[in-house]
Amino acid sequence: TLLVRRNLASTNELSAHVEDVVVDSVTRGSGVGRHMIQAMCTIASKCGCSEAILNCKEHNMPFYAKCGFTPAGMSLFAVYF
């Protein structure tokens, strides 16, 4: 899921929130998850978002780091455009 929202609390910029990315265990390691994340980031950037953020469990952090996300708080990762 990709949610695009306006950050009314501070900068008024558009921000994307990535949620519920799941790849079937049989398909994991094939690049499908990475392609989904890249596609969501491309859409977010084309919509004018300045960032994409997500919450994840600690064991998923290495995957999101490989996708270009960096830690931005406790279990929160972000990528900036």
Side-chain angles (χ1 to χ4, degrees):
T1 305
L2 180 67
L3 172 68
V4 174
R5 62 180 175 81
R6 189 162 301 280
N7 187 347
L8 298 174
S10 60
T11 62
N12 205 36
E13 293 180 337
L14 290 175
S15 178
H17 191 97
V18 176
E19 295 183 345
D20 305 323
V21 177
V22 179
V23 175
D24 185 87
S25 60
V26 175
T27 310
R28 288 185 191 140
S30 69
V32 170
R34 182 174 39 82
H35 288 297
M36 287 193 308
I37 293 296
Q38 288 173 341
M40 284 190 256
C41 287
T42 297
I43 292 167
S45 180
K46 286 183 177 183
C47 286
C49 294
S50 60
E51 65 181 358
I53 58 172
L54 59 86
N55 294 323
C56 68
K57 295 180 180 171
E58 191 172 337
H59 69 272
N60 290 328
M61 289 180 179
F63 167 75
Y64 291 110
K66 287 181 197 176
C67 294
F69 284 75
T70 57
M74 211 157 165
S75 75
L76 182 70
F77 269 52
V79 63
Y80 301 95
F81 309 120

